[in-house]
Amino acid sequence: MKIKYKIALYYTTSATLMLMIFAVLAYYFSSKSRKAEYLERLEYRARSIANVIIEDGHVKVDLLRKLDRTTFQDLYKEAILVYNPNYDLLYSNLKDTTIRTHRSLLDYITLNKSYSYEKGNGEVVGIYYTEGNVSVIVIVSSFDKYGYQNLTNLSQILLLELATAIIVLVGVGYFFARKMVEPIDKLVKEVDSINANNLQDRQVAVQGKDEIAKLAANFNTMLQRLSDSFDLQKSFVSNASHELRTPLASIISQLQVTLSKERNASEYQDVLNSVLEDAESLTDLTNGLLQLAQSEMKDQQFVFSNVRIDELLMDMANLIRLKQKESKIDIQFNKLPDNDLLVTCFGNDSLLKILFINLVDNACKFSRDNTAHISIDFYTQYIMVQVRDNGIGIPPDELNKIFEPFYRGQNVGKTRGHGLGLSICKKIIQIHKGHITVTSTPNEGTTFTVILPHML
């Protein structure tokens, strides 16, 4: 069932139930009011009769008969019974009818001075009336013809109004439900027209300040994030394809040229060395792509443990020296820790090694003397590691681009690389809830500052 039909159904059902409750309550209280009013009228009638028949200390039934023959009787199907304290019937307006009044009823009226009840053919009121030394019991019964007729008319009016109200509620409920769901229908149509080809050019119209407008705004934000992700993916695929194609094309062309005719041993050796260099470049690119893919994983997919940053830097320095024998790495503490936790980070050992290997390897690669200067410091809540080189530096207008995948500075020349290392470093830092910043002076050097939370 569509939402608009559900809204209309719920609205109509709830409103109908409320109207039915109000109608039942109106009928119930009207019935109670009719009964109370009529019993009060009968009691007044009984007291008036008792007051009329007692005169000068005597019960004058003849006067009541005379009045009864004229205008005294004005209630529908009225029955009047008058008894003396000995329960002798003094008067009755019922003719040709056997009169039976239970003695227990007369005892109750005598004891309690009044009595009233409702029976199938009307209401009954009895009173024990005393004036001077004379007492009488007067019982009056009657059927409230006009009161019950009014109740019947009221019930018919209520049923008619209820039926009319239900019909109106169905129409009104459907109208308002359609109006309420109209923005959602519009949103669905607009969303249905969005695909990967027009993602960048489409946005859902946002109007008002209600929940639907908020949903549309959030959807637009999601579209923007998806668009950025698609753009990044396209750029990544394009750059990765280009980077992979270049060494492969170089290898293929060199091999084709070499196989085109016989070569001597030294020429074959030169070609093999060149192919080996391109193959190593492919290996570096593949490793970089794997590391980048690994850094895109969620935090929950990594195993975290306590990692000593100083020990990790020492091990990493040895690995880089084995990889680049001409590299020099200088590691210094700005101040010595009095607690190992001050230089301990809760993180993933493998990712942190990739982080610092990339930074230190770049520093050695771009330094004029192949030296990377590393300083370790710690503060109240974090560890700070700075990696500095004395190389060519980074132009100021490129500082905000160096963490993008496949981006390489204009001044790197023929220095080997694919522009993946720093983007990997930034993602690893984000996984560890840290920060990385860079400062650089052209022709003087570049300093990368890594901040990681420690365990203390």
Side-chain angles (χ1 to χ4, degrees), residues 46-55 58-61 63-64 67 72 129 131:
R47 292 187 182 279
S48 298
I49 292 171
N51 187 46
V52 166
I53 64 175
I54 297 177
E55 185 177 350
H58 299 280
V59 178
K60 297 184 178 181
V61 177
L63 179 60
L64 182 59
L67 291 173
F72 195 69
Y129 184 82
E131 184 177 314

Side-chain angles (χ1 to χ4, degrees), residues 17 24 68 108 155 158 162 221 332-333:
L17 288 175
V24 170
D68 188 24
Y108 184 87
S155 63
L158 290 174
L162 186 61
T221 303
Q332 294 183 351
F333 277 92

Side-chain angles (χ1 to χ4, degrees), residues 262-279:
E262 291 291 331
R263 309 283 179 176
N264 56 41
S266 62
E267 289 176 332
Y268 281 121
Q269 187 174 7
D270 291 338
V271 171
L272 289 175
N273 287 330
S274 179
V275 169
L276 176 61
E277 184 178 349
D278 290 333

